[in-house]
Amino acid sequence: MRTLIPLFALSLCAAVAIGCTRFQAPEFSDSSPNSLASDARSSQIVSLQIGQQPGAFQVEDVTGPAAGEFLCYRCKYSGKPTVVIFAREVNDSVTSLVQQIDRKVAENSDKKLSAFMVVVGENTDEIKPMLQRVQVAQHIKNTPLTVFNDKAGPAGYDLDPTTQIQVMMWNDDGLKVNKPLSPHLSKEEISEIVSQTSEILN
């Protein structure tokens, strides 16, 4: 009997320990923090908040005045009212949007409105000839078309990974517009986006 009591106690402790381990597993398992972080990222569409100043980042200029060079248009335009179009593909919606923004820049040169487009992704070398064709076909004169060779986009911008087009607008007061868009835009939707440049013009 004396031998059975310690064995019974040991078995009971083991069962309790196993039960506690199973109960705590969802909170303390190695995979749990990663999955929670992943869920948070997937539900967070835009993290760069209105009013914040976007950070500097370098792009490769394809059609602008510094074609073939790496530079920071964010730095170059500094506190000027600026529109940036981030795109993961170049389709009719993107080219139409760029064309309309380019016209808006020309109309508001006295207010120093500026813009540039950034194609983000891997193997952006394949995109460069397309951007050059877009510039010629759409008569883009005031908006450099650039590439950023990282599908996640610039650090700190946290582009929505599920969105093909994302438009940001800022001035010296900070970010005013941060809008993820569908890959296919109607004329009305493009006009609405272009009209939002009024939010950054002083």
Side-chain angles (χ1 to χ4, degrees):
M1 177 65 76
R2 292 179 179 176
T3 305
L4 292 176
I5 292 173
L7 287 174
F8 175 77
L10 181 61
S11 299
L12 182 60
C13 291
V16 171
I18 292 171
C20 292
T21 302
R22 287 175 180 171
F23 177 77
Q24 294 177 352
E27 183 177 354
F28 297 109
S29 66
D30 291 338
S31 61
S32 179
N34 292 333
S35 62
L36 289 174
S38 177
D39 290 343
R41 283 194 297 270
S42 63
S43 64
Q44 178 182 355
I45 296 178
V46 174
S47 69
L48 191 60
Q49 300 298 311
I50 300 300
Q52 290 182 325
Q53 284 291 351
F57 66 98
Q58 284 203 332
V59 295
E60 183 179 357
D61 195 352
V62 178
T63 67
E69 300 178 11
F70 287 87
L71 78 161
C72 174
Y73 272 112
R74 168 69 182 104
C75 309
K76 182 179 177 66
Y77 294 153
S78 187
K80 294 178 181 179
T82 301
V83 179
V84 57
I85 301 167
F86 291 102
R88 298 186 186 280
E89 64 178 54
V90 180
N91 57 23
D92 290 343
S93 291
V94 172
T95 56
S96 296
L97 178 58
V98 172
Q99 183 186 50
Q100 294 299 318
I101 290 292
D102 190 66
R103 290 178 181 173
K104 201 70 175 178
V105 170
E107 293 169 5
N108 291 275
S109 58
D110 58 324
K111 297 181 180 179
K112 300 183 179 180
L113 180 63
S114 304
F116 63 108
M117 172 183 159
V118 184
V119 178
V120 298
E122 299 173 340
N123 302 319
T124 51
D125 283 345
E126 300 174 0
I127 301 294
K128 295 176 189 177
M130 185 181 298
L131 293 180
Q132 292 168 340
R133 290 193 294 270
V134 167
Q135 182 200 26
V136 174
Q138 303 296 331
H139 307 287
I140 307 298
K141 299 179 180 180
N142 309 287
T143 306
L145 309 182
T146 74
V147 295
F148 186 88
N149 198 42
D150 188 331
K151 63 182 180 180
Y157 283 69
D158 293 317
L159 302 182
D160 183 352
T162 66
T163 299
Q164 297 301 312
I165 310 170
Q166 190 161 338
V167 175
M168 297 187 187
M169 302 183 191
W170 60 71
N171 56 20
D172 55 359
D173 292 327
L175 188 69
K176 299 294 185 180
V177 175
N178 191 354
K179 195 165 186 178
L181 302 167
S182 64
H184 302 291
L185 303 170
S186 66
K187 291 182 179 180
E188 292 74 21
E189 288 173 321
I190 292 175
S191 296
E192 181 182 352
I193 296 162
V194 174
S195 70
Q196 288 187 284
T197 55
S198 62
E199 298 186 30
I200 59 173
L201 293 174
N202 298 320

